[in-house]
């Protein structure tokens, strides 16, 4: 017994050693593809050349809106003659640590670019961008909010980033009369609180659902869509809006629900492949969407795959690989123009992500306010209320409630 | 263990908002997809079964429910992943195409890697966490709490420490970008149910491993030692069986099988390699062990297959979000009628 065991393990070790030597010869190439082309792209984690690229903007009826005769976006640098008190600051609040830090940092990095450009051009006015970390957690945010309010140097706030923390702290900022300009909080109810200081720099969730639903039925011409929802607040809420927006086109026999954290969706795939649907909408986050779409493709289901901002993340593409090809992803967030993306990458060592452009645009608006002579909190609120101007992502102009007058949704495609 | 409360909460609150009816009794759906669901369920069940062996053997020998076993499985997933990276494969969403022979060879090596890591982790766990407790004659409750604690420790190690050690290539918040060697392709159909190569590999390997471990425990001298200690530790010691060695061997076998299951699982679910990825599967495998009769090797195998199949049927009949609920309700129902599981508790002894 002993001897045979030893011989077997010896053999296994030999085999292992042999293959390790074999492996040392070089990296394995993806079979089939011409590997020379692949080795030129240095991105070690990108799968092939797939990327999420912006395709069109749509309005709430799902109709494509041609890119506006884009006026020149406002330059944060201005004309370089701005004067302001020493120590003027704007705050940025969001998750800079913790599980959702990526989103908060996207906004902060974007805003920092605008501030740096402003400070460089305007020797007479040096504005500081003060980050306040809420970890995206409403409870932490209620402890951080008083710190922001009591900092007299802060005349405007970029944030809070998430809907939950915004709802929890909105009253504090409103009472303090501090401008709260959010780049990413998309819960529709936030603007219904009567806050006079709150402005939202992008379309809210009540726009995204119907827009995408109508886009699927009207523009893409789908007649029967499986709406798959995960069990997060976001996933359930969005699925409701999509389903009602689709009307008859929502396939009632084919609405499997999945759980966040699941990685295997064979039953849901079975349900979809047994249905007569002509498209699949996934309402949830990329962590589940990637294995889900892979399961669909492996299961031989080639239906178009549509999803929303929760899936609009490079991780989706890198995890799902070629299965993500052709996926249609919506987002209220605007794409980053090339120049901006290059500057951003130089400064931060990473490509701009979701809400980076919004962070930049909204910081720019506050900076132009400061450049125009605004020096206190009330003045900045008035300035933003009457603001109208072009940004990198879109035209910014707000109605009385603090929503954008024209809130459009971007459609992206993986290709 | 840590996510237990979460898992229960989420399954309890799953999706009553979208559906008008909370549970839809989709019997027709079950009929339509019956064979497809059975094949899928057996695939999953085979993986449950392999992991369940680890729970059942340790329970048989030590009367200890080793809750950290799910983390041993999780480490096995990282082990086989790291082995593939050492072999020169780079993560990508797309499948490699190496031809059958090379693919089997690479997968075999990866499985050995997974087994080595998981087996090593299981033995290490026993050394670090359980042996000192045994020395001090700690009560069994302390063992249980320690197991839960070790489960946390291993998860958070992969969550926070491993990315630091490996420069961010392994571990962390996100799932590992998959390395796929096999693209599922339908090979043939049984009663209209497609059977893919992945399914064949999983069920085939699981059967071979199950038979091997059964032979090992029931036929080999080592196995006799395991059965002896399970039956009566004191007498076994008097008869010259080293209890400590048997315990180590038991953890090693459980770990090795978990490592093999880890590779098979990642064939099926390439995106599942994440620090929290072992937890729910571990709990299911534990249920499978209890279902078949904990302490009973064949019971664990049977329980695993049964659980996998029933769970798949259940999620079509009741709705996909009820998957975990179905598994646990099945467990409760079976235990009501057969409190010691389907085949009864016995690794060596007939228990009263």
């Amino acid at each position: 017994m002993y001897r045979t065991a030893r011989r077997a393990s010896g053999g296994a070790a030999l085999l292992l050693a042999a293959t390790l030597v074999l492996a040392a010869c070089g990296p394995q190439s993806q079979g089939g593809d011409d590997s020379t082309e692949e080795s030129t792209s240095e991105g070690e984690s990108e799968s092939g050349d797939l990327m999420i690229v912006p395709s069109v903007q749509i309005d709430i009826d799902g109709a494509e809106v041609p890119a506006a005769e884009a006026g020149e976006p406002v330059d944060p640098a201005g004309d370089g003659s701005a004067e302001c008190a020493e120590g003027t600051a704007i705050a940025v609040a969001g998750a800079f640590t913790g599980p959702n830090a990526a989103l908060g940092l996207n906004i902060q990095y974007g805003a920092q670019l605008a501030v740096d450009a402003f400070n460089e051009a305007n020797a007479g006015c040096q504005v500081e961008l003060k980050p306040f970390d809420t970890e995206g957690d409403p409870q932490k945010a209620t402890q951080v909010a008083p710190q922001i309010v009591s900092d007299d140097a802060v005349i405007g706030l970029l944030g809070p980033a998430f809907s939950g923390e915004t709802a929890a702290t909105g009253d504090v900022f409103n009472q303090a009369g501090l401008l709260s300009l959010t780049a990413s909080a998309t819960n529709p109810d936030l603007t219904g609180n009567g806050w006079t200081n709150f402005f939202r720099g992008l379309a809210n969730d009540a726009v995204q659902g119907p827009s995408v639903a109508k886009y699927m039925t009207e523009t893409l011409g789908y007649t029967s869509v499986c709406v798959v929802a995960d069990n997060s607040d976001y996933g359930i809420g969005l699925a409701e809006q999509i389903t009602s927006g689709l009307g008859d086109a929502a396939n009632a026999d084919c609405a499997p629900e999945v759980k966040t954290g699941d990685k295997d969706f064979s039953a849901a795939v079975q349900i979809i492949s047994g249905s007569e649907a002509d498209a699949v909408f996934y309402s949830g986050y990329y962590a589940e969407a990637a294995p889900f779409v892979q399961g669909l493709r492996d299961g031989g289901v080639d239906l178009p795959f549509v999803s929303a901002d929760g899936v609009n993340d490079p991780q989706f593409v890198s995890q799902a690989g070629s299965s993500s090809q052709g996926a249609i992803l919506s987002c209220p967030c605007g794409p980053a123009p090339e120049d901006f993306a290059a500057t951003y990458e130089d400064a931060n060592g990473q490509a701009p992500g979701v809400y980076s452009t919004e962070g930049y645009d909204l910081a720019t608006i506050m900076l132009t306010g400061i450049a125009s002579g605004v020096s206190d909190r009330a003045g900045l609120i008035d300035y933003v209320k009457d603001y109208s101007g072009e940004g990198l992502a879109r035209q910014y102009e707000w109605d009385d409630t603090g929503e954008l007058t024209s809130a459009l949704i971007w459609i992206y495609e993986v290709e | 263990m840590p996510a237990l409360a979460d898992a229960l909460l989420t399954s309890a609150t799953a999706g009553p908002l979208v559906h008008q009816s909370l549970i839809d009794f989709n019997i027709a759906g079950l009929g339509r997809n019956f064979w497809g669901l059975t094949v899928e369920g057996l695939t999953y069940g085979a993986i449950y079964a392999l992991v369940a062996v680890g729970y059942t053997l340790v329970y048989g020998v030590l009367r200890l429910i080793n809750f950290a076993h799910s983390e041993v499985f999780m480490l096995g997933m990282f082990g086989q992943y790291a082995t593939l990276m050492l072999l020169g494969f780079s993560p990508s969403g797309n499948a490699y195409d190496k031809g059958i022979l090379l693919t089997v060879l690479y997968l075999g090596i990866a499985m050995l890697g997974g087994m080595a890591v998981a087996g090593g982790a299981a033995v290490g766990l026993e050394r670090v966490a359980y042996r000192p407790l045994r020395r001090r004659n700690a009560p069994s409750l302390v063992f249980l709490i320690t197991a839960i604690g070790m489960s946390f420790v291993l998860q958070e190690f992969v969550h926070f420490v491993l990315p630091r050690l490996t420069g961010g290539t392994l571990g962390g918040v996100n799932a590992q970008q998959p390395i796929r060697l096999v693209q599922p392709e339908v090979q043939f159909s049984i009663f209209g149910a497609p059977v893919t190569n992945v399914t064949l590999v999983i069920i085939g390997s699981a059967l071979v491993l199950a038979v091997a471990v059964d032979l090992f425990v029931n036929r080999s001298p080592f196995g006799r030692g395991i059965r002896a200690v399970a039956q009566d530790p004191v007498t076994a010691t008097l008869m010259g069986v080293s209890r400590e060695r048997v315990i180590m061997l038991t953890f090693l076998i459980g770990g090795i099988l978990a490592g093999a299951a880890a590779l098979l699982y990642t064939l099926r679910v390439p995106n599942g390699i994440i620090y929290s990825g072992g937890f729910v599967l571990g709990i299911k495998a534990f249920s499978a062990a209890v279902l078949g009769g904990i302490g009973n090797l064949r019971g664990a195998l049977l329980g695993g297959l049964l659980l996998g199949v029933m769970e798949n049927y259940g999620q079509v009949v009741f709705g996909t979000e009820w998957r975990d609920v179905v598994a646990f309700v099945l467990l409760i129902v079976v235990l009501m009628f057969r409190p010691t599981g389907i085949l009864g508790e016995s690794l060596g002894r007939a228990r009263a």
Side-chain angles (χ1 to χ4, degrees), chain B residues 144-215:
Chain B
L144 192 69
I145 300 293
T146 306
I148 294 169
M150 283 311 288
S151 173
F152 270 106
V153 169
L154 292 175
Q155 273 198 24
E156 298 309 314
F157 171 78
V158 173
H159 190 176
F160 291 115
V161 184
L162 196 60
R164 302 256 159 104
L165 296 180
T166 59
T169 40
L170 287 178
V173 186
N174 277 316
Q176 298 292 319
Q177 205 187 355
I179 299 179
R180 309 180 73 200
L181 294 188
V182 186
Q183 184 87 36
E185 271 162 35
V186 176
Q187 304 292 313
F188 55 86
S189 299
I190 304 177
F191 304 112
V195 178
T196 65
N197 45 0
V198 170
T199 308
L200 286 176
V201 167
I202 291 177
I203 296 183
S205 326
L207 278 181
V208 169
L209 286 165
V211 169
V213 76
D214 190 71
L215 286 179

Side-chain angles (χ1 to χ4, degrees), chain B residues 37 40 90 128-130 134 160 177 194 197 200 206 210 217 248 298 327 336 351:
Chain B
L37 291 168
E40 281 290 330
S90 55
V128 173
Y130 301 140
R134 267 203 315 281
F160 291 115
Q177 205 187 355
N197 45 0
L200 286 176
V217 171
M248 212 172 76
R298 289 179 190 172
M336 276 163 77
R351 282 164 60 81

Side-chain angles (χ1 to χ4, degrees), chain A residues 294-307:
Chain A
Q294 204 153 56
L296 274 184
R297 300 304 181 234
D298 288 348
V301 182
D302 285 326
L303 301 176
F305 181 84
V306 187
S307 192

Side-chain angles (χ1 to χ4, degrees), chain B residues 19-73:
Chain B
H19 272 298
Q20 284 110 354
S21 64
L22 205 57
I23 303 177
D24 32 348
F25 288 96
N26 186 359
I27 302 291
L30 178 62
R32 206 161 49 232
N33 295 321
F34 182 78
W35 290 103
L37 291 168
T38 310
V39 171
E40 281 290 330
L42 285 177
T43 318
Y44 246 78
I47 294 166
Y48 289 154
L50 287 183
V51 180
V53 169
Y55 285 100
T56 229
L57 281 181
V58 169
Y59 181 85
V61 169
L62 278 183
R63 297 280 171 272
L64 159 69
I65 296 165
N66 179 17
F67 273 115
H69 192 60
S70 54
E71 268 52 58
V72 169
F73 169 81

